[in-house]
Amino acid sequence: MAATLTDRRFWKGTRFEFTLNPGKFNVKEHVLITIFASSGASSVYAIYMVSSTIVFYRKEMSVVVAMMVVLTTQVLGFGWAGIFRRYLVEPAGMWWPQNLVQVSLFRALHEKEERPKGSLTRNQFFLIAFICSFAYYVLPGYLFPMLTSLSWVCWIFPNSIVAQQIGSGLHGLGLGVVGFDWSSICAYLGSPLASPWFATANVAVGFAIFVYVLIPSAYWLNIYNARKFPILSDDLFMSNGQKYNISDIIDPNFHLDLEAYERDGPLYLSISFAMAYGFAFACLSATLVHVLLFHGRDIFQLSKSAFQEKKIDIHTKLMRKNYKQVPEWWFICILMFNITAIMFICRYYNDQLQLPWWGVVLACVVALSFTLPIGIIRATTNQAPALNVITEYIIGYIYPGYPIANILFKTYGNGSMKLGISFLQDFKLGHYMKIPPRSMFIAQILGTTLSALVHLTTAWWLMSTIPDICDRELLPASSPWTCPSDHVFYDASVIWGLIGPHRIFGDLGHYAAINWFFLVGAIAPFLVWLAHKAFPNKHWIRLITMPVILASVAEMPPATPVNYASWVLVGFLSGFVAYRYYRGWWSRHNYALSGGLDAGLAFMGVLLYLCLGMENVNLNWWGSEVDGCPLASCPTAQGVIAQGCPLY
């Protein structure tokens, strides 16, 4: 535009003087565009609530109600971000590792750099990584999907249930599995190239304890009748190992039919699903204790506005000196108006949403209480615990039997907090790149609003046009429309909302002992803190972050062992091997490589869908089978019958 449009100035000399030419495209404009896009780039959490209601429960929800829920969730997260800028953006210690990828990419694209002899500039390296990633994704994305999970153990033992349970990367423990699909590697934990090595190591420890110690021990000891069910599954089961027919226990008023529930019997979970909830319980208490012990003093000082000059980084000083800040009352006004709007729609459309007004207030209190401690962990480790379980737990005990109310409470409590963390990450990027705060405020408001419209429109279109969407029983095996995250969201609404925690994790359920994980999580960071005080010279002790270890498997399900194993392997090669032995290369190219791989994947993914996916053009050969472990989901208890499985 700068090269093409006229630079003539209209109404020259008046207060309305303007030109159509924007001038040279600079890095700040580029960053602002990126922040505008990233405000809606991640998945909109409220869409899961909409899909669960319409697709799984087959309950009517008007597009107006869905739009208001999606939009208010987005804006609520923006309000939390505005309140906690002072704590999570301005201090130098809150460095947000993921932003370093973006900063490196912007520098590579905009800074003029002389090519070192025998080497490449960052820009050239980025372009090569982009082209290679773009070309390569044709293989795992279409031609050879098995590259997503090379479960070689299953090839050696094609008739062994136990071997396939151990070796399957998608339906088992994934021992020795490796994936060569960047979309799978980054699907749940983000780019491993952006994760500091100590955080990657924490994730690896948590993953290893969960998948290679806890799950197999509990499964083969048959705890909670685990062998009647698949070792790794997000489905809900009856006591005989068959899948639970949830529609049987819902009455005409969309509440739990207690008589039908007593007749069909209690609900069971796979051992991996049950233990994942245990880790989530432990993570919640560990987050609070860890932040209190390791960051409590800093939070107290910040709350008193007692900034010491040495603790204010140069970025904060420059931003305060050169730009008008966004007043706090702007965010508070938006927040109060939005909360009022949420209470109104929950009251007016209560027949569709079920959540009473006091549930909105309670959800906001939960989100407000946890945004700061979880934000600190994300800002320092690039990993973030989630609030999904505690929000489900709270409303499930207070208001049982209302599944839509449960998932709406979770959407406003956990979803808005996650969005707030995402907005804070963007604030920090603007902080690093010196973007005027008021310009960034406008870009984020517009991006947030547009993202709500685009995501809901897309979801509504998919739900209306794709036959049997999300139905694993009716869809072909290679279908991309199985909706793994939506399935887990729906399952959680049944567990915590329809049936309620009292009948599953309380004294009326089989899983009451899992509540002890709350105590384990509270004790674990205290032990680390004591070790740090006892051995202050052992700096590696402070790098043990129990919330990250316990939150490492927060995405399982729907994440699978191949997602984690491949992520940890790449993180080790980047954060340990390359950083320690090839520091110069790592400093110049690590983050540019991450950006190039992401960009190439994104472009090819869209191209494959538009050219082939929409026309249902598929390949059908041995390599099209993503995992190749058909027996991995079979039970191993005597006499349990499962479709496609031999009797054990």
Side-chain angles (χ1 to χ4, degrees):
M1 292 175 69
T4 305
L5 295 178
T6 176
D7 58 0
R8 176 187 170 190
R9 295 193 169 274
F10 298 90
W11 293 333
K12 193 171 182 179
T14 70
R15 60 183 296 186
F16 301 107
E17 179 181 339
F18 74 94
T19 177
L20 296 174
N21 193 302
K24 184 181 178 181
F25 184 65
N26 61 49
V27 66
K28 292 193 178 185
E29 291 173 319
H30 195 170
V31 174
L32 197 59
I33 291 169
T34 303
I35 289 173
F36 168 77
S38 65
S39 297
S42 59
S43 61
V44 174
Y45 196 77
I47 296 295
Y48 297 136
M49 181 266 176
V50 176
S51 65
S52 296
T53 304
I54 296 174
V55 176
F56 293 100
Y57 283 115
R58 305 192 185 283
K59 189 175 186 292
E60 287 189 10
M61 174 180 283
S62 71
V63 69
V64 174
V65 173
M67 175 54 65
M68 287 192 289
V69 169
V70 171
L71 188 58
T72 51
T73 304
Q74 296 286 96
V75 178
L76 193 60
F78 191 66
W80 305 141
I83 290 176
F84 290 107
R85 290 175 304 159
R86 172 176 305 182
Y87 303 93
L88 296 171
V89 176
E90 294 183 353
M94 304 294 116
W95 58 293
W96 297 87
Q98 179 65 35
N99 281 334
L100 300 183
V101 175
Q102 296 280 65
V103 172
S104 177
L105 179 57
F106 287 126
R107 291 183 60 190
L109 293 175
H110 288 273
E111 289 183 1
K112 289 187 177 180
E113 179 185 5
E114 289 190 15
R115 183 171 69 88
K117 188 175 181 180
S119 185
L120 299 169
T121 65
R122 282 193 295 259
N123 203 348
Q124 290 171 330
F125 184 85
F126 168 78
L127 289 174
I128 291 172
F130 170 82
I131 293 169
C132 291
S133 176
F134 177 82
Y136 174 77
Y137 189 64
V138 175
L139 294 174
Y142 183 71
L143 297 176
F144 195 10
M146 189 172 278
L147 287 172
T148 298
S149 177
L150 293 176
S151 305
W152 53 270
V153 173
C154 300
W155 309 341
I156 300 173
F157 303 100
N159 300 314
S160 171
I161 294 176
V162 173
Q164 294 199 18
Q165 285 180 331
I166 293 172
S168 173
L170 297 181
H171 305 290
L173 303 179
L175 186 65
V177 72
V178 65
F180 294 95
D181 179 358
W182 186 249
S183 69
S184 173
I185 294 170
C186 300
Y188 297 99
L189 298 175
S191 172
L193 302 178
S195 179
W197 167 239
F198 81 91
T200 303
N202 277 278
V203 171
V205 169
F207 169 69
I209 292 172
F210 182 77
V211 173
Y212 300 132
V213 178
L214 188 61
I215 290 180
S217 300
Y219 185 82
W220 277 290
L221 289 173
N222 204 31
I223 296 174
Y224 299 128
N225 294 318
R227 297 180 64 178
K228 288 185 176 181
F229 318 112
I231 193 170
L232 198 77
S233 175
D234 59 7
D235 286 319
L236 308 176
F237 299 95
M238 303 175 72
S239 59
N240 61 2
Q242 303 302 307
K243 292 182 181 178
Y244 215 109
N245 188 353
I246 302 302
S247 60
D248 277 355
I249 60 173
I250 300 177
D251 69 13
N253 296 319
F254 207 64
H255 296 167
L256 177 66
D257 187 333
L258 281 174
E259 184 179 334
Y261 184 68
E262 294 294 334
R263 182 181 67 246
D264 289 357
L267 181 142
Y268 284 85
L269 311 174
S270 70
I271 194 64
S272 58
F273 206 173
M275 291 303 169
Y277 276 127
F279 261 52
F281 294 170
C283 177
L284 183 73
S285 53
T287 298
L288 296 175
V289 175
H290 173 88
V291 171
L292 181 66
L293 293 174
F294 288 95
H295 301 280
R297 181 178 298 176
D298 294 336
I299 293 173
F300 179 73
Q301 289 177 345
L302 289 172
S303 299
K304 293 175 64 178
S305 298
F307 280 94
Q308 299 179 14
E309 284 301 313
K310 66 180 182 180
K311 291 191 176 182
I312 301 179
D313 67 356
I314 186 63
H315 302 288
T316 302
K317 292 179 182 177
L318 290 172
M319 292 292 283
R320 289 182 179 179
K321 180 179 179 182
N322 293 290
Y323 297 120
K324 275 188 175 182
Q325 299 300 306
V326 179
E328 195 116 326
W329 65 266
W330 287 17
F331 292 100
I332 294 174
C333 287
I334 290 174
L335 190 61
M336 292 298 103
F337 176 81
N338 191 56
I339 292 174
T340 305
I342 295 171
M343 294 172 70
F344 169 77
I345 62 174
C346 285
R347 181 77 179 89
Y348 192 77
Y349 297 103
N350 191 257
D351 58 323
Q352 296 184 53
L353 300 178
Q354 297 185 335
L355 188 66
W357 67 267
W358 54 262
V360 176
V361 176
L362 185 58
C364 292
V365 170
V366 172
L368 183 66
S369 302
F370 281 91
T371 299
L372 180 59
I374 291 177
I376 289 173
I377 292 171
R378 179 60 180 267
T380 54
T381 69
N382 206 39
Q383 303 298 323
L387 291 182
N388 55 318
V389 172
I390 193 60
T391 50
E392 295 162 336
Y393 208 121
I394 291 171
I395 195 67
Y397 258 111
I398 297 175
Y399 203 53
Y402 294 87
I404 305 303
N406 190 280
I407 54 180
L408 187 61
F409 183 89
K410 179 170 70 170
T411 298
Y412 285 130
N414 179 49
S416 69
M417 184 277 298
K418 290 179 70 174
L419 284 164
I421 299 295
S422 178
F423 287 132
L424 284 161
Q425 183 167 305
D426 288 341
F427 283 152
K428 191 67 175 187
L429 177 61
H431 200 68
Y432 282 143
M433 303 303 292
K434 310 301 175 295
I435 305 301
R438 298 195 176 195
S439 298
M440 191 163 63
F441 178 87
I442 295 170
Q444 287 184 302
I445 286 287
L446 290 175
T448 299
T449 305
L450 283 177
S451 73
L453 295 170
V454 172
H455 277 87
L456 182 62
T457 303
T458 305
W460 210 268
W461 170 59
L462 293 173
M463 289 187 292
S464 304
T465 57
I466 296 176
D468 305 318
I469 188 170
C470 303
D471 194 327
R472 296 171 179 170
E473 303 296 328
L474 300 178
L475 288 168
S478 59
S479 173
W481 305 112
T482 55
C483 320
S485 296
D486 303 74
H487 261 284
V488 173
F489 203 90
Y490 162 71
D491 291 343
S493 75
V494 173
I495 295 168
W496 302 98
L498 182 64
I499 298 174
H502 189 54
R503 290 187 173 86
I504 296 180
F505 294 100
D507 54 9
L508 297 180
H510 296 284
Y511 300 97
I514 289 181
N515 288 290
W516 286 102
F517 277 89
F518 280 115
L519 181 61
V520 173
I523 293 173
F526 184 69
L527 297 177
V528 175
W529 182 78
L530 288 178
H532 172 65
K533 292 298 182 183
F535 305 100
N537 295 326
K538 305 288 186 182
H539 299 293
W540 60 269
I541 295 177
R542 189 179 173 88
L543 298 179
I544 300 173
T545 311
M546 292 309 301
V548 174
I549 292 175
L550 295 168
S552 61
V553 293
E555 301 294 338
M556 292 182 67
T560 58
V562 68
N563 301 121
Y564 277 83
S566 304
W567 188 90
V568 169
L569 177 61
V570 175
F572 170 74
L573 294 175
S574 166
F576 184 80
V577 177
Y579 182 81
R580 173 167 291 192
Y581 300 108
Y582 305 96
R583 181 73 61 88
W585 182 94
W586 185 93
S587 300
R588 287 177 56 82
H589 299 312
N590 181 68
Y591 297 127
L593 175 62
S594 179
L597 292 173
D598 289 343
L601 164 67
F603 277 93
M604 180 53 79
V606 172
L607 188 63
L608 286 174
Y609 176 68
L610 293 178
C611 297
L612 302 171
M614 290 186 70
E615 300 298 324
N616 293 316
V617 179
N618 298 308
L619 291 178
N620 189 11
W621 67 293
W622 173 76
S624 301
E625 209 174 331
V626 178
D627 195 37
C629 301
L631 303 181
S633 295
C634 293
T636 58
Q638 295 289 337
V640 176
I641 300 173
Q643 186 176 1
C645 297
L647 283 177
Y648 189 76

